[in-house]
Amino acid sequence: MIKLKFKNNFKDQLSLESFFGDQKLDIKCPGCEHVFKLSFSDALQEGRFVPCPSCNSDIELIHDDVTKKTIADAEKAIKEFEKALKQFGK
C-alpha cells in the first residue's frame, strides 16, 4: 500500500480572482453598443469606471443584487473548498 502525504502550505489564498481573474468577459457599451473584452478581475471591482475603447465613454461597473449574491456564494464555496484542501491528508 502506498501512503500519500499532503503538505498544507498554500502560498496564496484561493479566490474568485485566482480561479477566473484572467478570463475575459464581453461588455457592451450602453452608449455606442460597442462590445469589448474586460477581465473578470476588473469586472469584480464594483463602482470602477472603465472606458469604452470605441466612444471613450466612462462605464461604471454596477453589480445588481443577483450578481452580488452569486459572488458572495461563490466566494463562500471557495473558502469551504480551501478549508477542505487544508484538511486533506491529516
Side-chain angles (χ1 to χ4, degrees), residues 4-54:
L4 301 174
K5 185 167 179 156
F6 181 75
K7 287 185 155 186
N8 296 331
N9 56 354
F10 296 118
K11 294 180 182 172
D12 298 318
Q13 290 203 354
L14 299 178
S15 67
L16 282 174
E17 276 190 76
S18 67
F19 280 107
F20 305 109
D22 292 335
Q23 297 298 311
K24 301 293 183 187
L25 304 174
D26 287 335
I27 302 294
K28 186 176 184 179
C29 176
C32 71
E33 299 187 355
H34 176 76
V35 177
F36 62 98
K37 301 284 187 190
L38 185 68
S39 73
F40 186 82
S41 293
D42 289 339
L44 282 175
Q45 299 176 28
E46 182 176 23
R48 178 174 181 213
F49 288 88
V50 294
C52 171
S54 181

